[in-house]
Amino acid sequence: GGGQGASPTAPGPTGVHVAMSNTRNTPIEVLEVTFPVRVRTYAIRRATGGSGAHRGGDGLVREIELLAPAQVSVLAERRRSAPAGARGGDDGAMGRSLVNGVEVPSKWQGPVRAGDVIGIETPGGGGFGRPGD
């Protein structure tokens, strides 16, 4: 989930799956019971929506600690270009994918050890209209 772009009549919603299919917002409890992980953070990524007459929605932050060695794959978007604002609205913040605080590419896979932390910071949506309009 991330921030959706604003529209001519309303701000963009925060922390939603935007134009996605085949994805889920799996509850923390299900992840922790099913896999050897601990979810350390699941929060709104504040101030990541672009400003404008209507502000873009904010993205999300997840930090997942691995409790056992694993092979991790990241398939993410909006890591190299920001979600564009419209009609004078500012761009939303780009997303980031991290392993132990070090940024990795948007398409990445690799081994991780027990104790490593995977961080996913999803992008904010673009704002609509010039701020103050």
Side-chain angles (χ1 to χ4, degrees):
Q4 182 171 320
S7 75
T9 59
T14 289
V16 295
H17 284 260
V18 180
M20 293 290 294
S21 62
N22 196 29
T23 62
R24 292 184 182 234
N25 183 10
T26 305
I28 291 168
E29 297 82 1
V30 172
L31 288 173
E32 291 183 344
V33 167
T34 306
F35 302 104
V37 300
R38 176 178 299 117
V39 177
R40 297 170 100 193
T41 304
Y42 184 22
I44 295 171
R45 188 176 173 216
R46 299 283 180 201
T48 54
S51 62
H54 296 286
R55 188 169 187 80
D58 289 333
L60 297 173
V61 174
R62 280 198 192 205
E63 291 180 321
I64 300 171
E65 179 182 356
L66 282 288
L67 303 178
Q71 182 76 18
V72 171
S73 296
V74 174
L75 232 59
E77 294 296 332
R78 292 295 181 192
R79 279 15 185 198
R80 289 183 286 183
S81 62
R87 303 231 176 118
D90 292 335
D91 294 348
M94 289 188 287
R96 296 181 349 134
S97 303
L98 307 120
V99 176
N100 297 322
V102 177
E103 198 162 351
V104 296
S106 61
K107 309 295 189 276
W108 178 86
Q109 71 174 21
V112 292
R113 299 174 304 230
D116 286 351
V117 176
I118 306 301
I120 302 294
E121 299 177 359
T122 65
F128 187 95
R130 288 182 183 26
D133 283 353

